[in-house]
Amino acid sequence: QCYDARDAFFRCLDQFDILDSVKDADLAESHCAKSLRGMERECAQSWVTYFKQRRVFEWRKAKQKEMLEKEGAEQLPEHIQLPLPKPRAS
């Protein structure tokens, strides 16, 4: 039920083009109070905070990836093996 409440809140934010419900708390409250209350009721407070912050993080991550792809960056293999540092001689 927590995830359903989160999704309803995020849909409301999307409807009113609100990305950051922490920074734009007044705007989010004025447009999405009902769904915000639902999320606060169904989720632990720490999860409410996490979801709000994660939403912004995921958006920034997607924008960064989009920018890198436009610049021609290539994705590295998922399991790349980095060399270990050589031990120092004593």
Side-chain angles (χ1 to χ4, degrees), residues 4 9 16 18 21 24 47 53 55 64 81 84 88:
D4 291 339
F9 178 58
F16 292 99
I18 303 167
S21 62
D24 298 321
W47 281 95
Q53 293 171 344
R55 174 181 167 87
Q64 182 72 23
Q81 186 72 28
L84 296 173
R88 294 183 185 191

Side-chain angles (χ1 to χ4, degrees), residues 5-71:
R6 177 207 57 191
D7 293 347
F9 178 58
F10 285 0
R11 278 192 301 274
C12 181
L13 293 176
D14 290 342
Q15 181 181 354
F16 292 99
D17 200 29
I18 303 167
L19 172 66
D20 190 339
S21 62
V22 174
K23 187 181 91 181
D24 298 321
D26 292 340
L27 195 57
E29 179 70 32
S30 68
H31 291 294
C32 302
K34 183 178 178 183
S35 56
L36 174 57
R37 298 292 167 267
M39 185 170 72
E40 291 172 337
R41 183 179 55 251
E42 297 297 332
C43 305
Q45 183 58 46
S46 60
W47 281 95
V48 171
T49 302
Y50 170 78
F51 289 145
K52 288 178 178 182
Q53 293 171 344
R54 185 73 185 188
R55 174 181 167 87
V56 177
F57 171 79
E58 290 295 333
W59 180 85
R60 287 183 180 154
K61 181 177 157 185
K63 289 296 176 187
Q64 182 72 23
K65 183 179 178 188
E66 184 179 297
M67 182 189 72
L68 289 170
E69 287 172 349
K70 283 181 183 177
E71 293 176 357

